[in-house]
């Protein structure tokens, strides 16, 4: 995706390098690293049903055995 942004003139080489560095730092962060571990089975935008009958669609649903982690990335204002 970054390559596409650079190709379309939305990023220059310096900006792209900085963004790539930040992404790699985030992926290696001790508190976040486990969410990107390949031991987890990943489902993106998977619809889930809550105990009260509400339907939600988090960005990532990670499962491993009986464990599950839901990640919903928020950007900007609610």
């Amino acid at each position: 995706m970054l390559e596409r942004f650079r190709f379309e003139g939305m990023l220059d080489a310096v900006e792209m390098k900085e963004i790539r560095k930040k992404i790699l730092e985030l992926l290696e962060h001790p508190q976040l690293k486990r969410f990107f571990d390949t031991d987890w089975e990943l489902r993106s935008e998977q619809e889930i049903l809550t105990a009260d009958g509400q339907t939600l669609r988090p960005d990532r649903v990670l499962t491993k055995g009986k464990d599950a982690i839901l990640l919903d990335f928020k950007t900007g204002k609610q």
Side-chain angles (χ1 to χ4, degrees), residues 11-57:
L11 293 174
D12 63 31
V14 173
E15 291 170 319
M16 194 164 129
K17 185 177 178 181
E18 290 173 9
I19 291 171
R20 203 173 256 146
K21 181 182 173 191
K22 294 262 186 207
I23 290 170
L24 292 174
E25 287 173 6
L26 286 171
L27 293 175
E28 291 299 319
H29 189 281
Q31 292 178 322
L32 300 176
K33 190 174 183 174
R34 71 183 183 128
F35 299 133
F36 299 96
D37 186 344
T38 57
D39 290 345
W40 292 91
E41 185 176 336
L42 168 65
R43 293 177 183 92
S44 295
E45 299 288 332
Q46 181 69 47
E47 198 169 85
I48 60 172
L49 184 62
T50 65
D52 64 356
Q54 185 179 12
T55 301
L56 302 174
R57 188 176 289 210

